[in-house]
Amino acid sequence: ARILDFLQQELLAAGTRVNRHTDLLSGEVLDSMSVLRLAAFVGEAFAIDVQPADFVVDNFRNVEAIARYVHRAATASSADRS
């Protein structure tokens, strides 16, 4: 919900609606600057360190993919702290 809220409030044009499965990288939803802003938000909101190697389509294609990425990154971060 936090990711969808950020998209709706900060990145999408007025009247644009997306759901968890909307392709954000199709060129019609987010531009490259918006993807960078989204990645920065994800890092801050979920206290994860988004690495350059993490900027792959599979991690940011849609909200569902971002949620999976956040889960993997948070799990890896927790394991590193143990």
Side-chain angles (χ1 to χ4, degrees):
R2 290 168 67 185
I3 297 168
L4 275 173
D5 288 345
F6 179 77
L7 284 166
Q8 298 285 19
Q9 295 171 8
E10 300 292 331
L11 299 179
L12 299 178
T16 303
R17 295 283 175 239
V18 297
N19 62 42
R20 294 180 63 81
H21 304 287
T22 302
D23 186 347
L24 302 173
L25 305 178
S26 68
E28 297 176 15
V29 180
L30 296 180
D31 61 18
S32 57
M33 290 303 294
S34 295
V35 173
L36 291 174
R37 288 182 59 202
L38 176 59
F41 166 78
V42 166
E44 289 178 27
F46 299 98
I48 59 174
D49 188 17
V50 180
Q51 296 293 315
D54 296 335
F55 281 97
V56 294
V57 171
D58 288 343
N59 288 340
F60 288 91
R61 178 173 303 284
N62 56 41
V63 172
E64 187 70 30
I66 296 167
R68 286 192 304 269
Y69 164 69
V70 167
H71 178 73
R72 283 192 314 273
T75 301
S77 179
S78 293
D80 289 345
R81 285 186 244 138
S82 300

